[in-house]
Amino acid sequence: MNAGGAPENGQVVIGLNAVIVAIIEEQPKVLIVQHTPETLNAQHETLTDRALPHDDRHEALPFGPFYPLKHRTLESGLRSWVEEQTNHEIGYVEQLYTFGNEGRDPREEAGGPRLVSVSYLALVQDTAPTAIETAIWHDWYRYFPWEDWREDTPALLESDIIPALRQWIETSSDPAQRQDRYERTCITFGLDDTPWNDELVLERYELLYEANLVTEAQDHIPDPVQIDFRGTAMALDHRRILATAIGRLRGKIKYRPVIFELMPPTFTLLQLQKVVEALSGSRLHKQNFRRLIEKKGLVEATGKIKSQTGGRPASQFRFRREVLMEKQALGVRQN
Amino acid sequence: MNAGGAPENGQVVIGLNAVIVAIIEEQPKVLIVQHTPETLNAQHETLTDRALPHDDRHEALPFGPFYPLKHRTLESGLRSWVEEQTNHEIGYVEQLYTFGNEGRDPREEAGGPRLVSVSYLALVQDTAPTAIETAIWHDWYRYFPWEDWREDTPALLESDIIPALRQWIETSSDPAQRQDRYERTCITFGLDDTPWNDELVLERYELLYEANLVTEAQDHIPDPVQIDFRGTAMALDHRRILATAIGRLRGKIKYRPVIFELMPPTFTLLQLQKVVEALSGSRLHKQNFRRLIEKKGLVEATGKIKSQTGGRPASQFRFRREVLMEKQALGVRQN
DNA sequence: TCTATTTATGCTCACTTGAAGCATAAATAA
DNA sequence: TTATTTATGCTTCAAGTGAGCATAAATAGA
């Protein structure tokens, strides 16, 4: 018997996962911790029932507990341990998704509780060093190299992923399934003239997973050389959560001014553009970008001028805090 | 001591809330159950600490338990009890939000577990009668009369809500707060030439809540005459969940073809338009709507023709199932 | 039967938005 | 000095959107 709830139907424990994003030197970074198999076992969900190879290479998202007696809300629980661990004030928090899949916690089989994880996206203001030594800021394209189109088409796509996907399409014996695979590949990976859609990060990852092209999907210990071949693998389903976060953020910046949560107090328009490009993984037309930003009225010139830009000095801008109120205030959509 | 988890930090129970939507006779409907105070106490979260008046008028969203030992995933748990209770196959399910606020379950104070509710939006295919006699399909504008702009501007807005909000703005003594209130009211309620944004359902409800203009926000037993004045009140924070669902759905139909989950297998373009209008609460330009739909290639003519339309017979269409795969396939955005 | 009314459907037009590029200004680097 | 880099203003062409005109084909009613 326990304190409350439906004991005969099993118990539940809640955990909080955070994708903590910052822009450091114009690159998109996520806070990553190194987990040992033991710490992982206690905490996370898997995308499948298969266990990951225990080879000590577990890069994982930070994970925190939810203490019902201490935290008034899920979000305040998240904020408290994230701010504690990162020394950053969190500007923006958004709930991503709640995972309740069976079979993530091995202790479940021994009658342990079901682990339900609520995942969050958090944006922090740049880069005071973190309090935890085990945590590192990693470029998020480390995990999704095919998502970075800032310098031309990612090489890995042409040389490896697209051919592998085409082969996966062809290996199906059922014509309807081939058709289905082909269409989904078109949409997500922009095959055959379909335009690339930067928001489909999760859909692309899931397609690769289904096609057995990422390490997490393999049920054998992978060849060490292969492990990081198509992006660095992560513990359990953390790469999936990260993909959710990136896709959500890419969509969000197009219609909400969340971008400023990642900016320093004052910046030039090119700096702003670089951050948008870092997140969306694509290049933007400079003149049109500034026209857009100025039209929206999201920023105002400080009157100051920044030299050492490598060229003509640029006006500095600041974000107009007022528009934060305007919940629907437009973002920086450019296409 | 209990079976697992962090007992010293309190326990947690998970519940599942569903906003089940169907279109019945071209009106947007949600499945509503009548709750007694007792059934409510055991289950839901409140927006504040204040209790609702116990006057037997509790219209509530269907609620179901999550059994970790029975349900592989949260979603399958939801599907199983919803399909059981409604006799409908659910075409589409989307997780909305997870609420973990303190103070919803009165038993918490007596050492009971924290109640965490995961809420879902479910779309069902029309209208076989439901299995539960206590459940009724209600027009969703019953709860948000100000959201229905299909026949001109809602009368309640001009006559009551806008004046009340203006007064609320003025009653603030702090000028900055007045400014803030004014701007938020402009954005959400389209004051002073700001255009009405159909997706801000939740933001509008929360503004009314903050301004003490909805029954749920009042901490006294309301005048019976007043209860349904600004839309029918719901139990606890269910009206808030419903607002989340409506806003999410209104946004979704603009870029994903979820609308077809609500349509019969075959339909005319006007029928499709009426459904979009019912959801978005606005009128659309007929010729432009059909141009849009035909351009997207989401539908195909069946070749058949429907008479008794009250005018010239119309071609019947069906949804092209193929495009369901195309996750990014465009929806029916018209503005 | 004739006519008003209703719905279906094709098409035009003005206007807005978006993508791309030209051109000039004002710094730094060599 | 000159090439290079960045900043910034402006134009042009194409595509998309909103609004309305016009015609077709049914029903409802006198």
Side-chain angles (χ1 to χ4, degrees):
Chain A
M1 216 66 241
N2 57 41
E8 69 281 5
N9 290 305
Q11 294 190 331
V12 167
V13 186
I14 299 260
L16 301 169
N17 259 122
V19 177
I20 306 169
V21 174
I23 297 287
I24 300 175
E25 289 161 13
E26 298 185 340
Q27 299 304 321
K29 305 278 186 177
V30 279
L31 196 62
I32 297 295
V33 297
Q34 289 285 136
H35 268 189
T36 64
E38 295 74 45
T39 61
L40 278 175
N41 282 341
Q43 298 180 346
H44 298 274
E45 60 276 348
T46 51
L47 201 52
T48 74
D49 301 335
R50 288 168 263 160
L52 265 190
H54 286 181
D55 58 4
D56 287 328
R57 304 183 85 270
H58 293 302
E59 304 193 7
L61 294 173
F63 178 91
F66 172 64
Y67 300 130
L69 299 183
K70 229 169 87 183
H71 302 312
R72 285 187 50 87
T73 66
L74 294 170
E75 189 179 308
S76 69
L78 182 93
R79 280 184 184 271
S80 79
W81 68 257
V82 169
E83 293 188 345
E84 221 167 75
Q85 293 194 1
T86 62
N87 274 343
H88 299 262
E89 199 173 316
I90 312 178
Y92 178 85
V93 167
E94 173 178 335
Q95 195 180 286
L96 284 174
Y97 205 79
T98 301
F99 298 93
N101 299 13
E102 186 180 69
R104 71 266 291 262
D105 188 340
R107 294 175 305 169
E108 225 179 86
E109 286 157 29
R114 177 71 72 90
L115 182 62
V116 172
S117 295
V118 186
S119 60
Y120 282 84
L121 165 66
L123 306 181
V124 305
Q125 185 80 355
D126 190 40
T127 169
T130 61
I132 18 173
E133 327 68 40
T134 56
I136 320 168
W137 291 106
H138 274 314
D139 192 309
W140 76 25
Y141 295 117
R142 171 188 181 85
Y143 310 100
F144 305 98
W146 56 86
E147 294 290 345
D148 186 1
W149 287 62
R150 285 174 297 175
E151 315 286 333
D152 209 353
T153 305
L156 187 67
L157 260 184
E158 303 287 357
S159 68
D160 171 67
I161 292 179
I162 299 287
L165 284 172
R166 283 198 194 274
Q167 202 200 324
W168 170 69
I169 294 166
E170 294 310 322
T171 51
S172 171
S173 52
D174 175 15
Q177 190 182 51
R178 266 207 305 282
Q179 174 71 8
D180 172 45
R181 287 182 177 183
Y182 174 71
E183 281 182 351
R184 285 192 297 149
T185 309
C186 279
I187 297 302
T188 53
F189 282 92
L191 231 58
D192 301 340
D193 295 323
T194 318
W196 179 268
N197 181 335
D198 68 359
E199 294 181 36
L200 303 180
V201 185
L202 178 61
E203 287 79 357
R204 279 187 283 272
Y205 176 72
E206 289 187 331
L207 200 76
L208 292 179
Y209 191 101
E210 197 179 327
N212 240 278
L213 296 174
V214 288
T215 309
E216 289 95 329
Q218 270 130 34
D219 51 2
H220 57 85
I221 310 266
D223 177 354
V225 184
Q226 291 287 316
I227 283 183
D228 290 350
F229 181 51
R230 298 191 187 95
T232 303
M234 293 182 78
L236 308 168
D237 64 348
H238 288 195
R239 216 165 159 199
R240 188 165 179 267
I241 296 177
L242 181 54
T244 308
I246 296 174
R248 188 77 74 86
L249 187 51
R250 283 182 170 182
K252 204 86 175 190
I253 58 171
K254 287 174 191 157
Y255 60 98
R256 295 285 139 92
V258 291
I259 187 79
F260 300 102
E261 305 289 348
L262 296 166
M263 299 299 296
T266 186
F267 47 83
T268 69
L269 291 184
L270 184 59
Q271 286 173 328
L272 184 63
Q273 182 182 345
K274 292 283 185 201
V275 172
V276 174
E277 289 177 344
L279 299 180
S280 71
S282 64
R283 275 230 170 289
L284 299 175
H285 184 283
K286 193 175 182 175
Q287 296 95 315
N288 290 347
F289 180 79
R290 47 172 37 247
R291 178 180 63 184
L292 178 85
I293 294 297
E294 288 176 334
K295 193 184 61 179
K296 300 281 182 215
L298 297 177
V299 299
E300 59 191 358
T302 62
K304 291 195 183 136
I305 286 212
K306 159 129 182 168
S307 297
Q308 307 127 339
T309 56
R312 171 175 167 178
S315 293
Q316 299 230 32
F317 290 83
R318 82 166 69 86
F319 178 51
R320 291 180 55 232
R321 279 284 143 195
E322 307 90 275
V323 301
L324 258 188
M325 321 292 187
E326 311 169 13
K327 287 259 175 72
Q328 56 64 280
L330 289 161
V332 291
R333 157 164 257 143
Q334 181 152 73
N335 50 49
Chain B
M1 216 67 245
N2 58 42
E8 70 281 4
N9 289 305
Q11 295 191 330
V12 167
V13 187
I14 299 260
L16 301 169
N17 259 121
V19 177
I20 306 168
V21 174
I23 297 287
I24 301 175
E25 289 162 12
E26 298 186 342
Q27 300 305 319
K29 305 278 186 177
V30 279
L31 197 62
I32 297 295
V33 296
Q34 289 286 139
H35 268 190
T36 64
E38 295 74 46
T39 60
L40 280 176
N41 281 341
Q43 298 180 346
H44 296 277
E45 62 276 349
T46 51
L47 200 53
T48 75
D49 302 333
R50 288 169 261 160
L52 266 188
H54 287 183
D55 58 4
D56 287 328
R57 307 183 84 267
H58 293 300
E59 303 194 10
L61 295 172
F63 179 92
F66 171 63
Y67 299 129
L69 299 183
K70 227 168 89 184
H71 302 311
R72 285 187 50 86
T73 66
L74 294 170
E75 189 178 308
S76 69
L78 182 94
R79 279 184 186 274
S80 81
W81 67 257
V82 169
E83 293 187 346
E84 220 167 74
Q85 292 193 1
T86 62
N87 274 343
H88 300 263
E89 200 172 316
I90 311 179
Y92 179 84
V93 167
E94 172 177 335
Q95 196 180 287
L96 283 175
Y97 204 79
T98 301
F99 298 93
N101 298 13
E102 186 182 69
R104 72 266 289 263
D105 189 338
R107 292 175 306 169
E108 223 178 87
E109 286 156 31
R114 177 71 72 90
L115 183 62
V116 172
S117 295
V118 186
S119 59
Y120 282 84
L121 165 66
L123 306 182
V124 304
Q125 185 79 357
D126 192 36
T127 171
T130 61
I132 19 173
E133 327 69 39
T134 56
I136 320 166
W137 291 104
H138 273 315
D139 191 308
W140 76 24
Y141 294 117
R142 170 188 182 86
Y143 309 99
F144 305 98
W146 57 85
E147 295 290 345
D148 187 2
W149 288 62
R150 285 173 298 175
E151 316 285 335
D152 209 353
T153 304
L156 188 66
L157 262 184
E158 304 286 358
S159 68
D160 169 67
I161 292 179
I162 298 287
L165 284 172
R166 282 198 194 273
Q167 202 200 323
W168 171 69
I169 294 166
E170 294 310 323
T171 52
S172 172
S173 52
D174 176 15
Q177 189 182 52
R178 266 206 305 280
Q179 176 70 8
D180 172 47
R181 288 183 177 181
Y182 174 71
E183 281 181 352
R184 285 193 297 151
T185 308
C186 278
I187 297 302
T188 52
F189 282 92
L191 230 57
D192 300 339
D193 295 323
T194 318
W196 179 268
N197 182 334
D198 68 0
E199 295 181 34
L200 303 180
V201 185
L202 178 61
E203 288 79 356
R204 277 188 282 273
Y205 177 72
E206 288 186 333
L207 200 77
L208 292 178
Y209 191 101
E210 197 181 327
N212 240 279
L213 295 174
V214 288
T215 309
E216 289 96 330
Q218 271 131 33
D219 52 1
H220 57 84
I221 309 268
D223 177 355
V225 184
Q226 291 287 316
I227 284 183
D228 290 349
F229 182 50
R230 298 190 187 95
T232 302
M234 294 182 78
L236 308 168
D237 65 347
H238 288 195
R239 216 165 159 199
R240 189 164 178 266
I241 297 176
L242 181 54
T244 307
I246 296 174
R248 187 77 74 87
L249 187 51
R250 283 181 171 183
K252 205 86 176 188
I253 57 171
K254 289 174 189 158
Y255 60 99
R256 294 284 138 92
V258 290
I259 187 81
F260 299 103
E261 305 289 348
L262 296 166
M263 300 298 298
T266 187
F267 47 83
T268 69
L269 291 185
L270 184 59
Q271 285 174 328
L272 184 62
Q273 181 180 347
K274 292 282 185 203
V275 172
V276 173
E277 289 178 342
L279 298 179
S280 72
S282 63
R283 275 229 170 290
L284 299 174
H285 184 282
K286 192 175 182 176
Q287 296 95 317
N288 290 348
F289 179 79
R290 47 171 40 243
R291 177 178 65 184
L292 178 85
I293 294 298
E294 288 176 335
K295 192 184 60 181
K296 300 282 183 213
L298 296 177
V299 298
E300 58 190 0
T302 62
K304 291 195 182 139
I305 285 210
K306 159 128 181 169
S307 297
Q308 308 127 339
T309 58
R312 173 176 165 177
S315 293
Q316 300 230 36
F317 290 83
R318 81 167 68 86
F319 178 52
R320 293 181 53 232
R321 279 283 143 196
E322 307 91 276
V323 300
L324 257 190
M325 320 292 186
E326 311 169 13
K327 284 260 175 73
Q328 55 64 282
L330 289 162
V332 291
R333 155 164 259 141
Q334 182 151 72
N335 50 49

